[in-house]
């Protein structure tokens, strides 16, 4: 599976972990919408410390635990596909930051069904 290579666009949505969309975590809603839209992939990264427009610092440090840590949802695909997805975010991201960056995809590969990394191929399976 290698349908994405070369110039691409990276969409990064920076939000809070506690942000919600209709009682569901906002980051999860964005990922599921990206999958439904057929985008190449999406990942969510949880931050350990950060602040945004409110200037309130959120951190995982023991003495100042936060229930609203920063979260980054990162989506990469061809520019046209990412730009077509942007309207999906309208109204969903009430607080946060939405970024677009041009990037270059060097490798885009998925697991073949039934194959786990580090496992030798079984009978009838093709080696990598």
């Amino acid at each position: 599976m290698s349908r994405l290579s070369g110039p691409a666009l990276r969409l990064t949505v920076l939000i809070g972990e506690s942000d919600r969309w209709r009682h569901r975590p906002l980051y999860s809603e964005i990922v599921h919408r990206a999958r439904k839209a057929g985008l190449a992939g999406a990942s969510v990264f949880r931050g350990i410390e950060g602040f945004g427009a409110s200037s309130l610092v959120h951190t995982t440090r023991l003495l100042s635990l936060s229930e609203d840590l920063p979260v980054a949802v990162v989506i990469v695909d061809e520019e046209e596909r990412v730009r077509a997805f942007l309207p999906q975010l309208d109204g969903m991201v009430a607080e946060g930051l939405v970024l677009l960056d041009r990037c270059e995809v060097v490798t885009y590969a998925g697991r073949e069904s039934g194959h786990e990394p580090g496992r030798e191929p079984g009978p009838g399976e093709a080696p990598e």
Side-chain angles (χ1 to χ4, degrees):
M1 176 176 168
S2 181
R3 69 175 180 93
L4 184 62
S5 65
L9 199 61
R10 175 177 47 217
L11 167 64
T12 305
V13 183
L14 300 170
I15 53 177
E17 185 177 30
S18 67
D19 291 349
R20 297 276 184 251
W21 176 255
R22 298 190 176 149
H23 307 291
R24 181 180 195 172
L26 179 57
Y27 60 84
S28 180
E29 182 67 22
I30 294 170
V31 167
H32 283 85
R33 285 185 182 206
R35 184 171 186 265
K36 186 175 180 181
L39 293 173
S43 296
V44 178
F45 301 93
R46 184 178 191 224
I48 57 173
E49 188 166 21
F51 73 93
S54 70
S55 294
L56 181 64
V57 175
H58 303 275
T59 181
T60 58
R61 286 180 293 176
L62 188 59
L63 296 177
S64 64
L65 289 175
S66 174
E67 295 179 4
D68 193 24
L69 292 168
V71 172
V73 181
V74 179
I75 298 169
V76 177
D77 206 324
E78 296 170 349
E79 181 171 354
E80 306 78 41
R81 296 173 61 79
V82 172
R83 289 194 183 276
F85 180 73
L86 287 175
Q88 296 257 3
L89 301 177
D90 290 347
M92 290 178 61
V93 182
E95 297 178 10
L97 183 63
V98 178
L99 303 168
L100 291 173
D101 299 291
R102 295 188 191 286
C103 61
E104 182 177 351
V105 175
V106 176
T107 303
Y108 173 68
R111 291 186 192 147
E112 295 179 29
S113 66
H115 181 267
E116 298 174 23
R119 183 177 71 83
E120 291 296 318
E125 292 181 339
E128 292 185 344

